[in-house]
Amino acid sequence: MAAMPIVTVPPPFQGPTLGQGEIPVDGTTVRACLAAAEAKFPGFEAQIFESSGALRRFVKLFVNGEQIALAELDTEVGPDDEVAVITPIAGG
Amino acid sequence: MGDRLIRVNMTDQSVELTDFPADWKLLGGRGLSARILLEECDPTCDPLGPDNVLVLAPGVLAGSSAPTSGRISVGTKSPLTGGIKEANSGGNPGQHLNKLGYRAIIVTGQPSDPERRYGLEVRADEVKLVPADDLKGVWNYATCAELATRYDKNASFISIGPAGELQLTGASVACTDQDNRYPARHAARGGPGAVMGSKGLKFVAVEPGRSPARAPARRKEFSALVKTYSREYLEGPGYQTFQYGTSAVVPIANMLHTFPYKNRTEGQSPDVENLDGKRIQESFEERGGGMHNCLTGCIVRCSNVVHDKEGEYKTSALEFETITLLGANCAIQSWEDVADLDRLCDEVGLDTIETGAAIAVLMDAGEMEFGDAEGAKDLLRQIADGTELGKVVGNGAAAVGKHTGHHRVPVVKGQAIPAWDPRPLKATGVTYASSPMGADHTAGLIVNPGLQESEFAAASQKAQVVNAVCDSSGFCQFVTPTLDDIRAFYSHFYGEEVTRQQIADLGWQCLQDEWEFNRRAGFTDADDVLPACMLEDAIGPQKVVFDVKPEIIQAAKQRLADTDELFSTKASG
Ligand code: SF4
């Protein structure tokens, strides 16, 4: 199979992805990759964005380990790149 | 001098120091407590009678320079669950005891006069009991303020409040934190404070004197490991997770429907904005307070110090679990009210989870209005005063259920379910059902709502083994060590290789000792269940209930083959 960008999903957000932590997607920007993940697993994006489109306060996005801001959602990604969604989870 | 055990017999008030068995050297904290209880405590005993044993055991690495590793386990037969219990606390007593070479304090017996109170003084050259009748009924903060005038300025204290003295089964054991020496850190779950109270032991004062950090066998390698481990932690995602404390997780938990509202009838709270830890962070600028480390040598500093509107100290730490159980679950709307309730729980010496769950059951039963913050504060004062209703609430959620006859009582083995809800988080539910501890998120929390049924048993078992080792090591779960991390520290500390097999066996042995204690106490597989309300009351948009089959819960108790993943899984709590 041809290489595809991967969206990595932290365990707390794997409800909609049915436990899948890495989603290969078709997309050339961060925005397109996340939308492709949403198309495969409805409900995924609602964990990342507010209904206004803003990034939820407790979510961070990284491309190949570099954090990106909401304004950088159109950052280009290639077939070997990783878009990582990170959220802090602390217990009690 | 080698390591020692402090044995205290409260029946004749004698104290004996014995050698710490050489073959126990890798045992500390929870694992050590489990071993002592299995060997020395009759599992069928009355938990509040003379035959119960109270163990105060620092983790293996406490007192060393390993980062965030000075925690202490308080173990006993729980008066709440009737089974074995380990509750874990920060603060400095664990660091100090191990620096002095005291690997555990083992308290047995009971004074013939239940009105007497005693304190245990621990120093390098002497350990003795002293009368403490003047502190009878005194709240924790005043107790520790008084002790601060009697002992060295670097002494640390372990104490109980009125709830422990009244032997209420929701009572905690308080440990003083490292800077202000406030009794703000608690070994809270399962009622260990009631056992300490039943023994007439009001406090333990530990004077470390000038004792140095415990020296590792391979000094150079150990300090190199301390440096790399600390750097990697502080540069990694773990630090971002905990730097504002556990209260920062409120909005995520709410989104995942694990921020229980009104006695867990819903998984989200409409008051999430007011209860969000962000509000606490915002208060720091104007009022003071901020983040600190509860014990010397902690690099995480997850503990928030909360001030009131006048800028005066109110409480510490205001945790996610407390905000959930005493806040959202009681429909109490403001974090400031929860801060008041948290301070009262610390003062009276109560588990905030158990007490919040108990108040919510009372509210759900119609005996109090949901959201009545002032009423809840009054109830906590009533617990200290020992009124009839106060005693019922101080005995926890199951006691309130019995008293009111209410049907919705979210407990497992008699212990209230923590914030993390077993309906969206079913693997965590498997932990609650199968853990020897009853419903306890620190026994093996798995925040992954996407796991499939076939994965629950293995995920729960892995988390339970890793957390058992972590709680035996002295490391705080929030520094998220793996089994490989812990064995590397042990290897350099003792100067001999600790293998993967050995470290996995240590965790498994701890769990087996605990399950065996419970079996002898009369528990069977039939007790490994969640309450009816978790099976029947659906929450969230998908209307989820806990519907995991009993064989999956039992499978979590059958040892699976060790995988590479077991050794790289981070402790979580
Ligand atoms: S991480 Fe938090 S709870 Fe753990 S030792 Fe440090 S301050 Fe205490």
Side-chain angles (χ1 to χ4, degrees), chain B residues 96 100 117-135 142-159 176 181 201-209:
Chain B
H96 290 168
L100 294 169
R117 299 289 180 271
Y118 298 89
L120 184 72
E121 298 181 342
V122 179
R123 300 183 179 88
D125 53 353
E126 186 185 37
V127 182
K128 65 172 194 227
L129 280 168
V130 293
D133 299 316
D134 58 328
L135 293 172
T143 294
C144 291
E146 171 58 28
L147 295 177
T149 68
R150 297 183 192 174
Y151 296 98
D152 279 358
K153 64 178 188 313
N154 63 346
S156 57
F157 310 117
I158 300 169
S159 64
T176 47
R181 295 198 293 169
L201 188 61
K202 176 71 178 172
F203 74 86
V204 177
V206 190
E207 288 188 337

Side-chain angles (χ1 to χ4, degrees), chain B residues 68 71 90 185 292-295 298 300-303 476 478:
Chain B
T68 319
R71 293 180 69 94
R185 313 304 306 189
H292 80 148
N293 43 328
C294 78
L295 54 79
C298 170
V300 184
R301 299 168 61 88
C302 86
S303 174
C476 182
F478 297 163

